[in-house]
Amino acid sequence: MTIGLFVPCFIDAFYPKVGIATLELLERLGCDVAYPFDQTCCGQPMVNAGCHPESAATQQLFVDNFAKYDVIVAPSGSCIHQIRDNLTAIEQTPEVVHVREQSYELVEYLHDVLGVREFPWARFPHRVGYHDSCNTLRNLGHGQPSELAGGYFSKPRTLLETVAGIELVSPARPDECCGFGGTFSVTEPEVSGRMGYDKITDHGAAGAEYIVSADTSCLMHQQGCAKRIGAPVQFKHIAEILNGDAA
Amino acid sequence: MRGKNDILADIRRNKPGFAAPAPHVPYYDDDYPRDTDGLVERFVTTLEKMGGVWCAPTADETLEDTMRRVFAQREIEATALVSNVPEITGNRRLRAGDAARPLHDVDVAVLRARFGVAETGSVCFTERELIVNAIGYLAQHLIVLLDPRTIVTNLHRAYQRDDYQNARYTVFHTGPSATADIEGVLVRGAQGVRSLTIIPAHGSA
Amino acid sequence: MSAPDPIKSRNSPKAAREAAPRPDKAGPGERQNHRKAARQFLDSPEHAKSHDTRVWAMRQRRDTAAETIDEWEALRDLASQIKTHALTHLDDYLEQFADNAAANGVHVHWAGDAADHNRIVHEIFKDHGVKKVIKSKSMLMEECGFRHYMEGVGIDIVETDLGERIQQLDAEDPSHVVVPSVHKMRSDVAEVFSKTIGSDPDNDDAYYLTEQQRQHTRPLILDADAGMTGANFAVAETGGFVVCTNEGNADLSANVPDLHVASIGIEKIVPKRSDMGVFIRLLSRSALGSPITQYTSHFRSPKPGGEMHIVLVDNGRSKRLGQERFWSSLKCIRCGACMNTCPVFRRSGGLSYGATYTGPLGLILDPSIDAYRYSNLPFASTLNGSCTNVCPVKINIHEQIFEWRKVLAEDDQIPWTKRKTLAAAGEVLANPKSYRTAVKSAHSALKYLPGWAIYNKLNAWGQVRDFPDVPAEGTFHDWYKKNRMPADAATQGDH
């Protein structure tokens, strides 16, 4: 069984370490991972703005690149949500259906499919605030959102809690959106920025040294906001922690 | 101008092409106490959160005494006192069909509730208890007699009661009038009564 | 008579007061600019912070209330199912409601749109020589522009809900369906009241201000010729309707004057009285976190000697019922929970929407009222989905926001430049070679361009946050090629 590794465009361009950590982690866990070389993007930027036809060719390219793999794994919740739920601008051929049904976000794949609960190589002796991205939390079901009564669970925290030395801290607003929101970040920059500053401040008040997430897009936004307001907090993708990358 | 028939025709044409069934609604009250004391306890806890006051008569008090004690404690001057209950004598009497406006200067009205709801700390009135509906809102303070044996568990049960089925007006009061419209500061007595005190007293509405 | 003693110590010094923000509202025929209006709100930092804190507190109280009810999620399911049942049988239940109301001695009117509604109510008022009206809060009447219409024909309307009254006296729209003046600080209210009802301009204590309003409004209530209310629910089985308030102002409006007119949207129908248990248990807990509103009032027949009218209003609802992706928005019970949880609403304030319905609810209702005017609004969201989870009737709000974006794009209601930009992005992303070139240019730009060229007004990203650093190892693609690929395996993307 071969995994097609999807490294979304902004991870490819700005956060290659996240892609490397994902690849290495899956390989450590015994997976056969391939990286289709002509991949670009899942088509989300256009769809997020309502422009579905403009996304069709990108969606088709994605399917052409990935249909040959048994499963597709990406270290990005928002991209997997796009593929699974919104890859609809093209004809729903068996290939498209296969790609949509067999795409997993990394945490889901580790937690649900591989059932991994140990990362003995990982050590992260820091206070970590985990950022539930809205796509992983509410669209992919990473955990129980704070709005829903009862039945608390959190897949990413279940994984992180096994990492040696880690201390998880929680902001006062546990799963408030950070304000990235795809095109929202540039169509409503003032509100987006305010949300980002508030998010970082909330994590800081909880004592977080690192903000960790399964969505690099949220982290890119928060990192930019933190730099702008001079907040000392640092950022890591959950793949980097679980792969045992030194802080 | 589109009238009744046009609107109904548009609804018939546009409504979703399936007919969803009505769900069965359980009572959800298995966890409630079965005894009156237990229900009173639930009732009082919520009532107090909603700003209402529960004032049980002491062993040697008449209802009149208890009411006067409430007035003294809350510094209520009951110059104009409307009583709609036989247990208390007031100095203003209401008759069905009376105009509402002359009630503008009423300090206190005494009413009997038809029943109470433990879940919410609510008491129920209809026009039979209010006699003039506006008294429940124009008075500055309300004193309510409630028979603890009439307290039902929750709102599902409350809506099953048939004793107000034919009433023109039925209202649940839960504590006094309240607002938090100015910077979230909770203020009692926004437009209606400033206080609501419940005195447990056997009897019927 | 006793009045609560105002706590003077809560008073803030006048010098510390920040002026109330006045976000722009689109004029007739214009498009509301949410971004600009939100920026204007955020430009008043004390107001913005206070608003976010207070509205979030309502969300927290809602969570606490929901946690105390074991069957909370089941109740949401039931409420949604009852509404689906009611809406898929709406014609039958509306007729049943109207017939029962008529049998109860109530005059029932049908209004196709806002203009019909205003004209019908005006006719009723003319018949009774009504000049002064007191009313409780009604989003439907806001939707119909009712107060402005009545001002135009010389009939005085007095709002009796405190928040709505503040907004009326300030000649400003309500900003939230439950707490209309939540964007105002008490210093703003002190200023409004000092100019309109003669309160002490230096006293901004909430107890004092509330009492001033009570004393000022009471004579107006006593003097009114008619009272108006909306309705939270209309029960087909009884022909009665239910109104929920915390101030008792709907009961004053309905019970003091002899004439009571209730405006009711046709989607407010529920089949049975027993359904009310579900909705009343959810409504105030979702809105404010209290188990019930202080007053839950059931109006079935006029009081002796009185007269009661019901105006059933369509105003686009029957049309929305036919929109496959959006009809379920008619389930809404106007609790405001979606606003309270919405991080964008809390930061931007309700006035930034420039519409009757604000927050997530507004994003899915307003474009169906005027697609051009409100075409911006579905984009004023991060699609975070929290609104959907708090909705007591389980409307898939964030999915409808997403769908509205699609509809607006298809209808050419999004700016041409935005569309062109996205089309260009789509072309680059569909071609591995162009994509690789674009990444290289972005890296070069960030590496070599001076800060002023990156951080300027034309660059929305850089206005509020920094760009990521260009990674030393290059792209993942470069790394993979270097570390994992046989030398001859690269294909067209590798140039």
Side-chain angles (χ1 to χ4, degrees), chain C residues 97-222:
Chain C
F97 173 78
D99 290 348
N100 284 334
N104 295 337
V106 179
H107 302 268
V108 181
H109 310 261
W110 298 73
D113 58 19
D116 288 351
H117 166 266
N118 295 344
R119 192 166 51 239
I120 289 167
V121 178
H122 189 198
E123 288 295 324
I124 299 169
F125 287 169
K126 274 198 280 192
D127 288 349
H128 291 76
V130 169
K131 286 286 166 200
K132 289 172 284 189
V133 179
I134 48 172
K135 72 176 275 291
S136 65
K137 196 157 64 63
S138 155
M139 292 313 296
L140 175 60
M141 286 187 250
E142 293 291 331
E143 193 184 311
C144 292
F146 175 73
R147 219 165 58 210
H148 298 296
Y149 175 92
M150 285 295 153
E151 280 163 11
V153 296
I155 292 175
D156 275 349
I157 307 281
V158 172
E159 298 287 350
T160 56
D161 174 83
L162 172 56
E164 194 75 25
R165 180 66 173 157
I166 293 167
Q167 291 309 98
Q168 180 184 21
L169 291 173
D170 197 26
E172 192 174 67
D173 291 336
S175 71
H176 185 293
V177 292
V178 174
V179 275
S181 61
V182 69
H183 59 290
K184 279 191 166 66
M185 300 183 75
R186 57 205 159 102
S187 52
D188 306 329
V189 179
E191 195 177 327
V192 173
F193 279 6
S194 71
K195 285 179 183 161
T196 50
I197 65 172
S199 71
D200 175 1
D202 294 326
N203 192 341
D204 67 2
D205 173 71
Y207 296 89
Y208 167 78
L209 293 168
T210 304
E211 181 63 21
Q212 287 292 304
Q213 180 269 164
R214 177 186 171 101
Q215 301 292 356
H216 184 263
T217 308
R218 186 54 71 96
L220 304 175
I221 292 172
L222 294 169

Side-chain angles (χ1 to χ4, degrees), chain C residues 366-376 404 408 411 413:
Chain C
D366 298 325
S368 77
I369 294 166
D370 186 336
Y372 176 77
R373 183 177 181 81
Y374 301 118
S375 54
N376 247 307
W404 266 112
L408 291 166
D411 292 353
Q413 292 285 9

Side-chain angles (χ1 to χ4, degrees), chain B residues 124-127 164-165 167-172, chain C residues 296-299:
Chain B
C124 176
F125 307 113
T126 70
E127 71 271 16
Y164 61 85
Q165 200 167 163
R168 294 160 180 262
Y169 173 66
T170 304
V171 63
F172 299 143
Chain C
T296 304
S297 311
H298 309 70
F299 298 95

Side-chain angles (χ1 to χ4, degrees), chain B residues 84-102:
Chain B
N84 287 358
V85 304
E87 295 92 332
I88 300 278
T89 310
N91 57 15
R92 298 275 284 275
R93 185 177 292 274
L94 300 188
R95 285 178 187 81
D98 280 356
R101 288 181 179 86

Side-chain angles (χ1 to χ4, degrees), chain C residues 454-482:
Chain C
I454 299 167
Y455 297 110
N456 59 46
K457 265 198 148 163
L458 296 172
N459 186 330
W461 180 274
Q463 278 172 40
V464 297
R465 51 181 110 63
D466 286 10
F467 279 91
D469 294 331
V470 175
E473 57 271 71
T475 64
F476 177 83
H477 191 84
D478 297 338
W479 177 90
Y480 192 88
K481 193 172 67 172
K482 190 173 157 196

Side-chain angles (χ1 to χ4, degrees), chain B residues 1-4 7-8 10-12 14-16 18-28 31-32 46 50-51 74-77 79 96-97 100-101 104 107 119-120 122 133-134 136-141 154-156 159-162 164-194, chain C residues 1-4 10 54 70-71 74-75 78 81-82 84-85 87-91 94-95 110-112 116 119-120 160-163 166 179 181 185-186 189 206-207 209-211 213-215 217-218 222 224 246-249 251-252 255-257 266 273-274 276-278 280-281 285 290-303 314 318-319 321-322 327:
Chain B
M1 169 160 170
R2 285 164 62 240
K4 175 181 178 178
I7 293 170
L8 288 173
D10 285 345
I11 292 171
R12 281 187 197 108
N14 290 341
K15 68 179 180 179
F18 62 96
H24 167 73
V25 179
Y27 285 111
Y28 293 117
D31 295 339
Y32 277 81
T46 320
M50 296 294 284
R74 300 188 68 85
E75 297 179 28
I76 293 169
E77 274 181 51
T79 309
R101 288 181 179 86
H104 70 92
D107 297 302
E119 177 191 7
T120 52
S122 310
N133 293 345
Y137 315 93
L138 287 175
Q140 299 293 323
H141 303 273
N154 65 13
L155 285 167
H156 299 296
Y159 277 103
Q160 292 295 327
R161 297 267 305 209
D162 59 5
Y164 61 85
Q165 200 167 163
N166 297 314
R168 294 160 180 262
Y169 173 66
T170 304
V171 63
F172 299 143
H173 282 212
T174 312
S177 165
T179 184
D181 276 348
I182 300 178
E183 255 189 44
V185 178
L186 180 64
V187 184
R188 313 283 183 200
Q191 299 285 18
V193 300
R194 299 176 189 275
Chain C
M1 199 177 86
S2 65
R10 283 171 176 269
R54 283 160 57 200
D70 289 342
E71 62 273 16
L75 283 176
L78 284 172
Q81 288 163 14
I82 293 168
T84 304
H85 170 69
L87 289 168
T88 57
H89 298 81
L90 186 59
D91 46 338
L94 261 179
E95 275 197 288
W110 298 73
D116 288 351
R119 192 166 51 239
I120 289 167
T160 56
D161 174 83
L162 172 56
I166 293 167
V179 275
S181 61
M185 300 183 75
R186 57 205 159 102
V189 179
Y207 296 89
L209 293 168
T210 304
E211 181 63 21
Q213 180 269 164
R214 177 186 171 101
Q215 301 292 356
T217 308
R218 186 54 71 96
L222 294 169
N246 286 306
E247 301 180 17
N249 58 310
D251 300 281
L252 284 163
N255 288 320
V256 174
I266 55 171
R273 199 180 60 179
S274 58
M276 292 309 306
V278 174
I280 298 298
R281 293 189 75 199
R285 286 185 173 101
S290 60
I292 189 169
T293 48
Q294 310 286 130
Y295 299 98
T296 304
S297 311
H298 309 70
F299 298 95
R300 202 177 132 268
S301 297
K303 61 185 179 181
D314 182 344
S318 63
K319 183 172 156 238
L321 196 59
W327 70 268

